Amino acid sequence: MKDRLPGGISIMKQLLTGNEAAAEAAIQAGCRYYYGYPITPQNELINYMSTRMPEVGGAFIQAESEIAAISMVHGSAAAGGRAMTSSSSPGISLKQEGISYLAGSELPCVIVNIQRGGPGLGDISASQADYFQAVKGGGHGDYHTIVLAPCSVQEMADLVYDAFDLADKYRNPVIILGDAQVGQLMEPVEFHKKPKKNLPAKSWALTGAEGRKKNVIKSFYPVKGQLEEFNAHLQRKYRTIEEHEVRYEAINIHKADVILVAYGTSARICKEVVKKSQQYKFKVGMVRPVTLWPFPKEIIRKVSERVECILTVEMSAGQMVEDVKLAVEGRCPVHFYGRTGGGVPTSLEIIRKIVEIVPDNRAANTLLQLAAVK
Amino acid sequence: MHTIYEKPKSFIDTPTHFCPGCGHGIVLRMIAEIIDAWGIRGKTIGLAPVGCAVLAYNYLDIDMCEAAHGRPPAVATGIKRVHPDHVVFAYQGDGDLAAIGTAEIIHAANRGENITFIFVNNAVYGMTSGQMAPTTLLRQKTVTTPSGRDPINSGHPIRVCELLAVLDGSSYLERVSLSSPENIRKTKKAIEKGFKTQMEKKGFSLIEILSPCPIYWRMDANEAMKYIDEEMTRTFPLGVVKDWEHKN
Ligand SMILES: Cc1ncc(C[n+]2csc(CCOP(=O)(O)OP(=O)(O)O)c2C)c(N)n1
Ligand code: SF4
Ligand SMILES: [Mg+2]
C-alpha cells in the first residue's frame, strides 16, 4: 500500500490534539502502565488512555490523587514496566514528592506537564511558569529530571517516544513540559516506528528474587558517607546527560543581529518573527531549546559572542531567562519579554520589544515596516 | 540431630535496629517464616514503610521497594499491575497508614487490590520520637499529647479495620496482637490468611497487629504486653472484622 498521497502527504497522518498524541506515542513506545488524575488542560490525555490502554493489555487507573498516581508510577517503574503519568501545574506540584523519590531511586518514567497559569489555582490557559519547578528540581534534594519541551503536536509525539528511551538509558525520570496550547491544539501527526535502541537490561527491577539475590529499590542511605557517595554518582550521571543529550533548534543564527530564545508555544510565535525578518536588512535569528534540562548552554554562549543582544520570550514572569544569562555570562545584553496569566506574546509585541532594546534606526525602521505588514 | 528452631532462610542474619521489646522484629520474622514455608521467595515483593520498619529490606531476603511516607498502597498497586500473579505485601505503621496515607489505603481497599497489608498499630510515631498517632488511645500520653490525648483538640483513635470494612472492595480484615505466644501464633495465621486471600485473587486484605513500643510507652517489655491486653484491646477489640470465606 502506498502511504503517500500526491503532494507527499502521508496517509498515516492522524489529526490529534497534543494531549492525545502524547498518549498514543507512549503506547507506541511500549508504555503499558498509566496512572492519572483529571485536570484541565490535560484531560484529553487521561481520557485517551482510558480506552487505549485496555486495547493493548496495559494498566490504566484513575488514581485518587496526583500523589497516588506518581506513587503507582513508582511501583510499576520499580517492577520494570514502562510507566507514565500526566497532569497540569497544580497536580504536578503534588507529584514533586514522588518525582524526588523516583530520581533518588534511579527509576525511569515519563511525566507530562501540560502547564496552566499559576500560582495557586491560577487559570486553565497556557503558561510556561513551571520552568523553575521542572528544570531546577521541584522536589527536595540534589536531583535533575530530563526536561523536553515540544512546540507542535508532531514534536509532542516524537519527544514522548524518545522520553521512554532516555528514561531507560539513564534510569531517570523524564518530564515533558508542554502547555495548554501545545496540549489542546489539533495538528496532523504521524507515529514513526523507530528501531529499538540497545538499552541496558533492567536487572535491578523487582520481579521476585527467583534464583538470584534480592533486589531493593530505595533512596534511603542512613549510613554516614553513603548518601554523599550516592549523590556523587547521581551528579556524574547528570554530567554525562549534559554532555550527550542536549537538543535544540537553531534558525538563522549565523546572519542574525538579534537572537530570540524561546521554547514551546512561545517559540512558535518567535519563529514567525524570524521568518518575517528574513526579507529585511535587520535579521532576527533564534535558538529554541528542545531539552530545557540539559540546557543548550553551549550554542547560546556561541551566539552571544557575535550578536548585538538576546531576547528571551516566555509565557512567564521570567524564568528560563536566568539560564540564558548564565550561559551568556555577560557577553551581550540579555533582555526578556513575557506574558502571564493566559497572555500569549504576539509577534507584534515581540517586534516592538526588539525595537525597544536595539536603539538603532536601522533596526527600528525595518522592524516597524515589518510590524506594519501584520 | 533434630532441628527444632532455626532462623528462617528469608530472614537475613544481621542485628536489627529495633529497641528491646519492640514488636516489629517479631512480625518481620513471621513474614519470613511464611515465605520459607510456602516456598514463595521467588514470587514475593514487599513494600517497606517510612517508620521504625524503614529498614525492613535489610532484614528480609526478598525483592523489596521503598515508598514515600504513607504511599505503600499506591506503590504496591503499581507493582501488582506489572506482576499480577506475585505475592505483593506492604508493611506499614499507624502514622504511615492511617494519617498521611489515609487516602491511599482507603482507595487501595476500595479497588479491591489483591495486596496484603501488614498494619502495625503501636499507637505512637516510633521513628520520630513518640508523638501522637491516629491510633493513640484517649488520655494516652505521648510527647505531643503531654497531658493525654484529648478528643476535643486531637480527635479519637481511628479503628482502621472497622473503617475499611464498610468498603465493598475489602475482603479480609482481622485485628490481632503480639501480647502472648498464643496471640503471636494467631497473628501468623492471620498473615497466612492475608497471603492466601491475594493468591486466590479474593481481593484486599489487611491484618492490624497491636504491637508494643516499650520505649515511647515508657514501660518495660512486660508492662507493654499487659498494656496491649488491658488497655489497647478495649479500644481495638481483637478478632476477624471481615472475611470473604465466612460472609454472613
Ligand atoms: C513526608 C514525611 N513527613 C514526615 C516524615 C517523618 N516521619 C518518619 S516516620 C514518621 C511516623 C512513623 O510512625 P508510624 O507510621 O506509626 O511508624 P512507627 O515508627 O511507629 O513504626 C514520620 C512522621 C517523613 N519521613 N516524611
Ligand atoms: S521506637 Fe518503638 S516501634 Fe520504634 S523500634 Fe523502638 S520500640 Fe520499636
Ligand atoms: Mg506507629
Side-chain angles (χ1 to χ4, degrees), chain A residues 5 24 53 66-67 75 104 145 175 182 189 200 210 221 224 237 247 263 309 331 333 339 353:
Chain A
L5 297 174
E24 182 58 33
M53 252 322 166
E66 288 85 351
I67 297 174
T145 52
I175 290 180
V182 173
V189 56
E210 187 66 65
Y221 295 92
K224 196 163 166 37
K237 176 170 88 173
R247 296 191 199 183
Y263 70 95
C309 64
R331 287 183 193 84
R339 297 282 307 272
K353 183 71 188 180

Side-chain angles (χ1 to χ4, degrees), chain B residues 94-95 120 122 124-126:
Chain B
D94 37 42
V120 177
N122 59 9
V124 285
Y125 281 19

Side-chain angles (χ1 to χ4, degrees), chain A residues 33 35 59-65 67-69 71-81 97-98 101 105 107 205-220 222, chain B residues 12 41-46 50 54-69 71 73-79 81-83 86 100 103-105 107-108 111 113 127:
Chain A
Y33 307 96
Y35 311 108
F60 167 89
I61 298 178
Q62 179 173 330
E64 59 270 28
S65 70
I67 297 174
S71 300
M72 290 172 189
V73 165
H74 184 163
S76 291
E97 172 191 79
Y101 273 78
S105 306
L107 288 175
L206 306 179
T207 56
E210 187 66 65
R212 61 159 167 78
K213 283 191 174 166
K214 66 170 177 174
N215 283 339
V216 174
I217 300 288
K218 65 175 178 98
S219 63
F220 187 46
Chain B
I12 295 163
R41 177 181 178 271
K43 53 174 284 193
T44 302
I45 301 174
V50 173
V54 63
L55 292 177
Y57 44 69
N58 283 1
Y59 311 137
L60 293 177
D61 185 27
I62 56 170
D63 274 10
M64 285 196 78
C65 192
E66 167 192 87
H69 193 23
R71 316 297 172 224
V75 179
T77 297
I79 293 175
R81 285 298 184 279
V82 181
H83 302 299
H86 279 39
I100 195 167
E104 284 78 8
I105 195 68
H107 286 274
R111 287 189 302 268
E113 294 293 343
M127 175 155 239

Side-chain angles (χ1 to χ4, degrees), chain B residues 33-50:
Chain B
E33 284 173 359
I34 296 168
I35 290 169
D36 281 4
W38 293 14
I40 53 172
R41 177 181 178 271
K43 53 174 284 193
T44 302
I45 301 174
L47 271 296
V50 173

